[in-house]
């Protein structure tokens, strides 16, 4: 099909809106803002939707479950931290619809069920988190956000069998994965980040073992989480083959995945499920719960549940 000038311009405008919020690794340079090479990498997929005059589809594996570490978060359910991210994505969709009337759709591919067992979060907690996320996404004014989970991908009698299906049909060999973690810098840094999160999330006052044992255990589980996340990526790819794949992690320049921040503040590298929202005179910020408490922030409850903090004089 021939791209008309109108299509090219529209594709460019849609992509520029998204790339404004591109998440970049601090160590990597991208030529320009927005980055010309990243722009070019996503033109074919976005352009394909624009040519058909259909909503541009984005998939975002994210919003797994709340971190099990009470020093970071307020509880097990999505709270104001998630609401702010949903609001951000909703507004992004609205802005895209202003330059391209068919607009965009963001499908959150929640991955809590995919690796909940490896991070020590029970399945009922995953279910509760997903249910609340679905409510938040359904309530978003643009009507363009939705949720897709492992439970929607396949029907199985138990969640354990669902994960076995994922490993068997979409997994890869442990050896291949280890080689990639050694050889590919982006995978190495993702693996290291996972090790750090897994360590932090278990290093709570009630942890009885040694630091070295916890580090070893975190490295082992990081491989599992990485492997399952990638298997989930393949399920998502099969289910939404034309969609643009977003990621909450920084991606190499020109990569087919697009790293996206979930907010506009300087704290946006923190994800809602590893943090709490703190309302200041300057708007909301994300930080770890222990940090908010150390600053003397006051807890705000809504609908009988802890929602966020307020910080007076900040
Ligand atoms: Zn780039």
């Amino acid at each position: 099909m021939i791209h008309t000038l109108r299509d090219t311009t529209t594709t460019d405008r849609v992509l520029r809106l998204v790339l404004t919020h591109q998440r970049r690794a601090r160590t990597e340079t991208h030529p320009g803002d927005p980055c010309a090479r990243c722009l070019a990498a996503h033109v074919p997929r976005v352009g394909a939707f624009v040519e058909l005059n259909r909503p541009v589809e984005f998939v975002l594996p994210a919003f797994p479950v709340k971190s099990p570490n009470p020093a970071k978060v307020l509880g097990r359910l999505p709270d104001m931290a998630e609401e702010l991210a949903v609001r951000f994505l909703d507004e992004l969709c609205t802005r895209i619809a202003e330059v391209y009337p068919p607009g965009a759709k963001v499908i959150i591919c929640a991955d809590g069920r995919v690796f909940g067992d490896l991070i020590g979060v029970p399945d009922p907690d995953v279910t509760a988190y997903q249910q609340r996320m679905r409510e938040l996404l359904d309530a978003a004014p643009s009507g363009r956000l939705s949720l897709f989970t492992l439970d929607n991908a396949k029907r199985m009698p138990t969640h354990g069998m669902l994960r076995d299906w994922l490993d068997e049909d979409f997994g890869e060999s442990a050896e291949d994965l280890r080689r990639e973690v050694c050889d590919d810098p982006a995978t190495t840094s993702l693996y290291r980040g996972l090790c750090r999160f897994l360590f932090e999330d278990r290093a709570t006052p009630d942890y009885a073992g040694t630091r070295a044992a916890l580090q070893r255990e975190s490295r082992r589980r990081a491989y599992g989480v990485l492997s399952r996340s990638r298997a989930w990526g393949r399920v998502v790819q099969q289910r939404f083959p034309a969609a643009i794949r977003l990621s909450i992690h920084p991606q190499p320049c020109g990569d087919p995945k697009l790293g996206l921040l979930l907010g506009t503040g300087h704290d946006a590298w923190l994800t809602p499920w590893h943090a709490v929202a703190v309302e200041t005179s300057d708007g909301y910020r994300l930080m770890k719960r222990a940090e908010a408490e150390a600053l003397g922030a006051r807890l705000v409850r809504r609908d009988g549940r802890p929602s966020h903090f307020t910080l007076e004089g900040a």
Side-chain angles (χ1 to χ4, degrees):
M1 232 184 275
I2 300 158
H3 285 268
T4 64
L5 185 59
R6 187 193 75 86
D7 285 352
T8 313
T9 317
T10 306
T11 300
D12 211 66
R13 287 169 84 186
V14 169
L15 259 171
R16 276 167 191 270
L17 285 173
V18 181
L19 285 170
T20 309
H21 308 289
Q22 183 179 21
R23 181 168 188 181
R24 297 175 173 193
R26 259 169 296 183
T27 49
E28 213 195 10
T29 44
H30 289 254
D33 200 2
C35 168
R37 216 185 311 162
C38 287
L39 197 64
H42 304 294
V43 160
R45 280 185 174 244
V46 174
F49 285 104
V50 171
E51 253 174 54
L52 297 169
N53 216 34
R54 296 227 315 253
V56 182
E57 239 175 52
F58 293 93
V59 288
L60 174 62
F63 298 91
V65 281
K66 282 289 197 189
S67 158
N69 187 344
K72 287 185 171 184
V73 299
L74 276 170
R76 293 175 303 168
L77 290 175
D79 53 31
M80 183 60 89
E82 275 81 0
E83 276 191 57
L84 293 169
V86 168
R87 207 180 292 171
F88 169 79
L89 291 171
D90 191 54
E91 284 166 6
L92 183 57
C93 286
T94 303
R95 283 200 303 278
I96 292 174
E98 283 164 10
V99 300
Y100 173 57
K105 289 199 274 191
V106 178
I107 301 133
I108 308 277
C109 302
D111 42 8
R113 189 78 73 210
V114 170
F115 50 68
D117 59 328
L118 294 168
I119 62 169
V121 174
D123 278 313
D125 287 6
V126 175
T127 305
Y129 186 88
Q130 287 179 176
Q131 268 168 4
R132 181 65 190 137
M133 272 311 295
R134 200 180 292 280
E135 286 167 19
L136 289 177
L137 295 168
D138 286 350
S142 76
R144 294 173 177 276
L145 306 181
S146 60
L147 192 76
F148 175 72
T149 72
L150 187 55
D151 306 1
N152 305 129
K154 176 104 177 154
R155 278 198 168 277
M156 280 286 184
T158 68
H159 295 132
M161 289 164 81
L162 202 49
R163 284 185 286 263
D164 290 344
W165 165 75
L166 185 64
D167 285 337
E168 280 157 27
D169 284 23
F170 295 90
E172 67 209 288
S173 86
E175 199 183 310
D176 287 353
L177 190 59
R178 273 176 209 280
R179 196 174 312 125
E180 200 178 322
V181 167
C182 285
D183 297 347
D184 175 53
T187 315
T188 311
S189 98
L190 188 58
Y191 167 74
R192 289 204 183 125
L194 281 169
C195 288
R196 197 180 63 241
F197 275 127
L198 288 165
F199 179 82
E200 281 176 11
D201 284 358
R202 285 283 178 95
T204 53
D206 55 341
Y207 178 74
T210 65
R211 202 180 155 82
L214 186 58
Q215 263 158 356
R216 249 190 332 268
E217 172 71 7
S218 303
R219 284 196 290 268
R220 188 186 64 75
R221 284 188 292 129
Y223 271 106
V225 173
L226 190 57
S227 164
R228 288 259 184 83
S229 300
R230 287 159 59 109
W232 179 233
R234 294 181 193 110
V235 172
V236 169
Q237 155 72 26
Q238 196 181 70
R239 187 65 166 252
F240 306 99
I244 296 94
R245 165 76 190 267
L246 301 174
S247 167
I248 56 157
H249 304 290
Q251 299 300 326
C253 188
D255 198 86
K257 281 186 231 160
L258 197 166
L260 184 76
L261 293 162
L262 295 179
T264 51
H266 57 83
D267 49 1
W269 58 274
L270 265 174
T271 55
W273 50 98
H274 280 286
V276 297
V278 180
E279 192 177 15
T280 72
S281 53
D282 224 13
Y284 281 98
R285 287 166 54 190
L286 291 185
M287 58 179 89
K288 290 177 187 169
R289 176 186 180 174
E291 252 175 277
E293 285 173 345
L295 290 170
R298 192 170 51 81
L299 180 67
V300 178
R301 299 178 69 90
R302 283 185 316 164
D303 307 322
R305 281 201 299 269
S307 163
H308 60 282
F309 286 95
T310 59
L311 195 54
E312 268 126 45

